[in-house]
Amino acid sequence: MDKIIVRGGKRLNGTVKVEGAKNAVLPVIAATLLASDGKSIIKSVPTLSDVYTINEVLRYLNADVHFENGEVTVDASKELSVEAPFEYVRKMRASVLVMGSLLARNGHARVALPGGCAIGSRPIDQHLKGFEAMGAKVQVGNGFIEASVDGRLKGAKIYLDFPSVGATENIMMAASLAVGTTVIENVAKEPEIVDLANFLNKMGAKVRGAGTGTIRIEGVDVLHGTEHVIIPDRIEAGTFLIAAAITNGNVLVQGAVPEHLSSLIAKMEEMGVVFKEEEDGIRVISAENLKAVDIKTMPHPGFPTDMQSQMMALLLRAKGTSMITETVFENRFMHVEEFRRMNGDVKIEGRSVVMNGPTNLQGAEVAATDLRAAAALILSGLVADGITRVTELKHLDRGYVNFHEKLAALGADIERITEESELTLTASYVADLNA
Ligand SMILES: CC(=O)N[C@H]1[C@@H](OP(=O)(O)OP(=O)(O)OC[C@H]2O[C@@H](n3ccc(=O)[nH]c3=O)[C@H](O)[C@@H]2O)O[C@H](CO)[C@@H](O)[C@@H]1O
Ligand SMILES: C=C(OP(=O)(O)O)C(=O)O
């Protein structure tokens, strides 16, 4: 089992480049299934385990998929099969995003029920409500969701009870090949929604309003393969902004888009961190003394839940009492106990956590509970006294490409090891301490 070993105390300096966004590339790859004609070429694709998983799902569904040098090519022109089994959906919930495309292309889709996960129960009722409004019959049983329609889906007016990212994407994909016009209200406004809309439009779809609260889709008869470059990953970028701030460093995060990160930047500025927009990214210059702030996670353009645990790491270093309230997921505080193992003064109060800082963080063995918690614990390790060992790296590999290597290139004392090599390493560290 791999571990990341961090020895705290180094300031980060230099330049780091962000990858294409995981949360944009997964729906875009799912949308390639809509093209009954021509190949789709997706560029700036990160080498993440989630990308390999969605590619496997597409192959299972009878698409030809190649992934090389940051480019995914999909030919989905053959007849598609209808089922995405549990082995894939269990690995990655975003597998449910093939449902909209399959239903629109085949008139039939069968996808394993995703089940719960580390951050909450995550139902998909809003996705299904959308499909039903478009004329699909949806049945849930034997661990599967089955949706089918006689003929083609029909355009409909759909109001989402919550601006769900996945439901907005799944319904957008399904509506693109429906007969007539679909209007979705109270939709998610995340930059990844806009990226998907741009991709669909290049395929020949007619999607308007992405990035606002209402999306209007005029269905078309056929969609074709196209080329697309995925937007930069705002969550990876935000994680590096915090890495620089927490170590009192000075780092240029290349590829970071300021408009995608405005809530995070505003909150970090309140803490005293300085940002400069440069031609190719954002420079972050940390402050010696960080101030406590309160945060509430919200759908975009509010503060992203995917930055909540990394922000917790930073707030543990700020002077005063901070509060984080999580409103998007019901159970996204599993990392709190791990921070406490590192001496974090943090406690859960209902849907909030309260932190008293600055905490003198101590190195410890901690386990990643989800992908952002993995990154957050590593960030804490960068400033903790002694050695921090982070386990359960399968989570990290879902969302970050070469995370430890990128931090090491900025000056962090960090490495990724297998259990065997750790025995030798710990012995040499003890020898160093005794010397
Ligand atoms: C692959 C991907 O893009 N993942 C992102 C996506 O997840 P995902 O698309 O799963 O997130 P949603 O926006 O759908 O979920 C947000 C909230 O709505 C609830 N909900 C959602 C759908 C539904 O039908 N019913 C329902 O109750 C969920 O349980 C959750 O509490 O957006 C989340 C919110 O920004 C991010 O944290 C994830 O990183
Ligand atoms: C929660 C996340 O992703 P997913 O929806 O794929 O689990 C995330 O990216 O932080």
Side-chain angles (χ1 to χ4, degrees):
M1 196 174 61
D2 284 10
K3 283 185 186 174
I4 278 184
I5 310 270
V6 198
R7 294 182 192 84
K10 299 276 198 250
R11 283 167 83 142
L12 300 192
N13 278 292
T15 300
V16 62
K17 198 169 181 302
V18 297
E19 314 282 325
K22 161 180 101 62
N23 288 350
V25 79
L26 300 176
V28 163
I29 292 179
T32 62
L33 290 174
L34 290 163
S36 48
D37 153 47
K39 281 187 185 167
S40 299
I41 300 170
I42 319 298
K43 298 184 175 182
S44 196
V45 178
T47 43
L48 297 172
S49 57
D50 274 12
V51 171
Y52 290 103
T53 305
I54 193 98
N55 287 347
E56 278 308 307
V57 176
L58 262 67
R59 287 189 190 111
Y60 190 91
L61 294 169
N62 206 27
D64 288 331
V65 185
H66 296 280
F67 183 18
E68 237 183 330
N69 303 325
E71 237 177 74
V72 168
T73 309
V74 182
D75 182 343
S77 56
K78 287 182 284 189
E79 194 175 326
L80 300 177
S81 36
V82 293
E83 183 173 307
F86 187 51
E87 60 184 289
Y88 301 121
V89 186
R90 179 176 48 188
K91 270 197 212 155
M92 187 190 68
R93 299 179 48 87
S95 307
V96 299
L97 291 174
V98 298
M99 198 157 187
S101 298
L102 281 183
L103 187 57
R105 259 290 292 277
N106 285 345
H108 189 187
R110 195 166 182 267
V111 175
L113 261 174
C117 87
I119 59 178
S121 72
R122 303 182 76 174
I124 57 163
D125 55 302
Q126 299 300 303
H127 306 228
L128 304 183
K129 169 171 124 171
F131 299 148
E132 278 174 334
M134 284 188 274
K137 285 200 177 60
V138 177
Q139 279 184 324
V140 181
N142 302 102
F144 276 85
I145 311 156
E146 193 151 4
S148 57
V149 62
D150 288 336
R152 285 171 63 188
L153 292 168
K154 287 176 197 60
K157 195 163 175 180
I158 300 157
Y159 172 82
L160 299 182
D161 297 342
F162 179 88
S164 153
V165 172
T168 305
E169 293 167 343
N170 234 338
I171 298 169
M172 272 163 75
M173 292 187 245
S176 292
L177 279 183
V179 179
T181 301
T182 299
V183 179
I184 329 169
E185 287 176 343
N186 196 28
V187 291
K189 300 174 189 154
E190 271 70 358
E192 293 77 19
I193 301 286
V194 178
D195 205 36
L196 176 62
N198 289 340
F199 177 65
L200 289 169
N201 287 340
K202 283 194 233 165
M203 295 176 85
K206 293 182 176 167
V207 182
R208 304 287 172 263
T212 75
T214 303
I215 295 180
R216 199 181 168 85
I217 303 145
E218 222 179 287
V220 297
D221 293 341
V222 182
L223 292 168
H224 51 78
T226 185
E227 259 191 51
H228 187 69
V229 182
I230 295 296
I231 55 168
D233 195 314
R234 65 193 164 101
I235 306 300
E236 188 201 12
T239 304
F240 281 110
L241 295 182
I242 291 185
I246 204 169
T247 62
N248 201 8
N250 180 331
V251 170
L252 174 67
V253 183
Q254 245 178 6
V257 180
E259 305 80 67
H260 292 177
L261 287 155
S262 49
S263 57
L264 174 68
I265 290 174
K267 279 299 177 185
M268 288 175 72
E269 278 176 339
E270 274 181 43
M271 296 178 75
V273 181
V274 174
F275 293 92
K276 283 191 183 150
E277 276 184 38
E278 296 192 4
E279 207 178 312
D280 53 349
I282 303 173
R283 179 170 297 282
V284 51
I285 306 160
S286 193
E288 198 74 51
N289 297 306
L290 297 169
K291 288 182 234 131
V293 295
D294 292 342
I295 306 273
K296 193 187 251 188
T297 65
M298 303 273 270
H300 192 78
F303 191 92
T305 173
D306 294 351
M307 287 304 304
Q308 181 249 102
S309 45
Q310 303 91 311
M311 195 62 173
M312 196 176 289
L314 187 63
L315 286 173
L316 285 170
R317 303 289 292 170
K319 190 170 182 333
T321 302
S322 303
M323 183 187 266
I324 298 183
T325 305
E326 172 62 57
T327 76
V328 178
F329 288 109
E330 58 178 21
N331 183 24
R332 206 173 192 178
F333 284 144
M334 303 279 279
H335 43 281
V336 165
E337 281 312 311
E338 304 304 305
F339 280 130
R340 286 161 68 94
R341 290 173 57 72
M342 297 180 74
N343 197 39
D345 183 348
V346 47
K347 60 173 188 290
I348 303 179
E349 288 183 1
R351 296 200 78 159
S352 301
V353 296
V354 180
M355 286 152 286
N356 288 304
T359 299
N360 194 12
L361 290 168
Q362 296 169 359
E365 173 140 351
V366 285
T369 49
D370 74 39
L371 73 170
R372 306 304 168 190
L377 293 166
I378 294 167
L379 296 178
S380 291
L382 294 173
V383 286
D385 289 337
I387 301 184
T388 301
R389 293 178 181 76
V390 184
T391 62
E392 298 300 328
L393 298 181
K394 62 177 188 293
H395 295 296
L396 184 75
D397 298 337
R398 288 192 48 220
Y400 293 88
V401 178
N402 296 335
F403 192 54
H404 71 287
E405 286 167 9
K406 289 184 175 189
L407 288 170
L410 294 171
D413 188 345
I414 184 168
E415 60 199 307
R416 182 166 174 152
I417 57 160
T418 57
E419 210 146 340
E420 272 166 35
S421 55
E422 194 197 4
L423 292 173
T424 333
L425 195 107
T426 310
S428 68
Y429 180 71
V430 172
D432 277 357
L433 285 179
N434 292 335

